[in-house]
Amino acid sequence: QVSAGMRHTLLLRSDGSVVTCGDGGADLLQAEEGTFYTQVSAGKHFAVLLRSDGHAVSSALQGEPGRIPPLEDGVRYTQVSVGGYHIVLLRSDGRAVASGS
C-alpha cells in the first residue's frame, strides 16, 4: 500500500514494515521494530499507522500528531483514512470515529 501526504510518502511493505520518503519522511515515523502494520494513511504533515493488534499510532513532521481516540476492551480499529488535518477510523464494532479539523 502507498499513501502520500503533502511532501512525504508512506509505503507499507508485504512484511508489515513501513518505509517513508520525501521531505522529512525519515523523521516522520519512529516505527517500532518487530511491529506488523496493516494499513498506512498520510495527512498533510502527519501519518497514522494501523498495527496488526488493532491499535493505531500517529506521528507528525510538524505540530501535534493526530489524536487517536481510545478504544474500549475487545474493540479494534479495522481501517484508517486521513485527510489534510483529520483522521477517520473504523472500529470492529462498526462505529466510525473521527478527530481533527
Side-chain angles (χ1 to χ4, degrees), residues 14-98:
S14 61
D15 66 359
S17 64
V18 177
V19 176
T20 62
C21 58
D23 186 16
D27 300 325
L28 179 63
L29 298 174
Q30 303 300 321
E32 301 168 37
E33 185 84 20
T35 300
F36 185 82
Y37 297 97
T38 60
Q39 189 179 4
V40 297
S41 192
K44 186 170 183 178
H45 296 291
F46 71 103
V48 176
L49 284 73
L50 191 60
R51 298 187 325 206
S52 61
D53 66 1
H55 287 84
V57 294
S58 178
S59 60
L61 283 170
Q62 54 183 276
E64 294 292 318
R67 188 183 73 78
I68 306 294
L71 288 168
E72 295 89 22
D73 288 340
V75 179
R76 302 167 39 106
Y77 287 123
T78 59
Q79 192 171 358
V80 61
S81 185
V82 174
Y85 298 101
H86 67 283
I87 302 167
V88 180
L89 294 142
L90 183 62
R91 298 169 20 146
S92 59
D93 62 3
R95 292 182 54 204
V97 293

